Amino acid sequence: MLPGFPHAQPIEGFLGGLLIGLAAAIMLLGLGRIAGISGLFARAAGIGGSGAKQSIAILFILGLIAGAALFSFTMGPIEANFPPDMLWLIPAGLLVGFGTRLGSGCTSGHGVCGMSRLSRRSIVATLTFMITGFATVAIVNALGGSWS
Amino acid sequence: MIRAITGLLSGIVFGFGLALSGMMNPARVRGFLDLFGQWDPTLAFVMGGAILAMALAWLFQAQTDKPACASQYHLPDTKHIDGRLIGGAALFGIGWGLGGLCPGPGIASLATQFVPALIFVASMLLGMTFFRLWNRG
């Protein structure tokens, strides 16, 4: 589909991205809030400092799960390949949880909602987590931890 | 009631979009981060689509005084950059690279890959709890 990148899914990716942007637009223009998933999840769990009402955050998180379920019922199975050792998901989750709260956002809040608003904060945050993400994968691969 | 439905709808559209985009596959996200290996640019197309749609929403937002179903906008600061922002984003990126999951796909995967998703989401919740305890000093 994309010359030189046989595994890329540019069209599905772009269309899925449009829907993600639409979802964030519904949150912004409907409720006046940023659709930042780390913040909404913390809020839903009762450990977020401020933000949307807890009931709204819970419904958003349940909707997120339902949306993925709806896709797999209507469009077929969702391809997913996890790390060779599931234990990797523990440090991954710990760092994602701590880091997103300390840095006030993740891919959705900073990457989608903030960058599209040309927020200087979000641009710096997004560049930072992309750089450490690139570095982490490069280091893991160099240490023989490649997934394939 | 209308607010509850709006929140739920936003979540459903988000989850469906994530599934369509391929970003619920940790190996594909990791492929994007594997800049020096078999690079998979799909994530850049996802971000492009999402930012395009959301940029239009911001243009519309600037023309309005308040959201459709609430009394006012609650929008975060866009300028202040400090060590917490950079340190937090840096730690998040390391976790993202290790697992190939950020919060959205991790939570959405509870629908389809329950055991690994639960390991990730429970660890993420624990990380957020550590932050809350540490932040209180």
Side-chain angles (χ1 to χ4, degrees):
Chain A
M1 188 60 79
L2 197 66
F5 301 104
H7 303 297
Q9 293 190 341
I11 294 173
E12 293 87 342
F14 184 74
L15 294 177
L18 285 178
L19 285 179
I20 291 169
L22 173 66
I26 292 170
M27 182 62 82
L28 175 68
L29 300 174
L31 299 176
R33 300 268 179 191
I34 298 289
I37 295 188
S38 54
L40 284 165
F41 178 73
R43 196 75 186 146
I47 55 169
S50 63
K53 241 174 80 180
Q54 189 177 18
S55 59
I56 300 286
I58 291 172
L59 283 167
F60 176 88
I61 295 298
L62 292 177
L64 186 64
I65 300 167
L70 179 68
F71 183 95
S72 72
F73 284 134
T74 56
M75 313 286 283
I78 300 168
E79 191 187 5
N81 298 291
F82 284 84
D85 186 342
M86 291 294 172
L87 290 178
W88 287 22
L89 295 172
I90 296 174
L94 288 169
L95 286 163
V96 169
F98 192 95
T100 53
R101 299 304 294 150
L102 179 61
S104 309
C106 60
T107 342
S108 51
H110 282 311
V112 174
C113 298
M115 296 250 287
S116 61
R117 193 185 174 199
L118 300 178
S119 157
R120 211 170 64 187
R121 246 176 93 73
S122 291
I123 293 169
V124 167
T126 304
L127 288 175
T128 304
F129 65 65
M130 293 207 6
I131 289 169
T132 58
F134 289 137
T136 301
V137 170
I139 292 169
V140 169
N141 284 350
L143 295 175
S146 166
W147 287 17
S148 49
Chain B
M1 189 61 190
I2 183 73
R3 293 183 202 184
I5 292 170
T6 305
L8 182 67
L9 180 69
S10 173
I12 291 172
V13 175
F14 207 119
F16 194 92
L18 274 177
L20 175 62
S21 74
M23 295 298 103
M24 283 175 63
N25 184 355
R28 188 177 287 284
V29 173
R30 190 185 195 275
F32 175 79
L33 295 174
D34 194 4
L35 203 54
F36 309 104
Q38 283 258 331
W39 191 56
D40 180 342
T42 305
L43 189 146
F45 288 87
V46 180
M47 289 301 282
I51 287 175
L52 175 66
M54 196 54 193
L56 296 174
W58 283 116
L59 289 177
F60 185 81
Q61 185 270 336
Q63 309 295 317
T64 60
D65 296 326
K66 65 185 186 66
C69 317
S71 58
Q72 58 174 308
Y73 287 106
H74 297 269
L75 301 177
D77 166 47
T78 60
K79 294 199 167 60
H80 183 67
I81 292 165
D82 58 12
R84 292 170 72 95
L85 178 79
I86 294 173
L91 291 176
F92 163 49
I94 296 170
W96 193 34
L98 283 179
L101 285 168
C102 55
I107 295 165
S109 295
L110 288 169
T112 49
Q113 298 282 341
F114 187 72
V115 172
L118 186 66
I119 296 172
F120 177 80
V121 171
S123 305
M124 180 170 81
L125 189 61
L126 195 61
M128 289 181 171
T129 306
F130 286 151
F131 169 77
R132 191 171 167 84
L133 297 171
W134 172 81
N135 197 36
R136 280 176 171 173

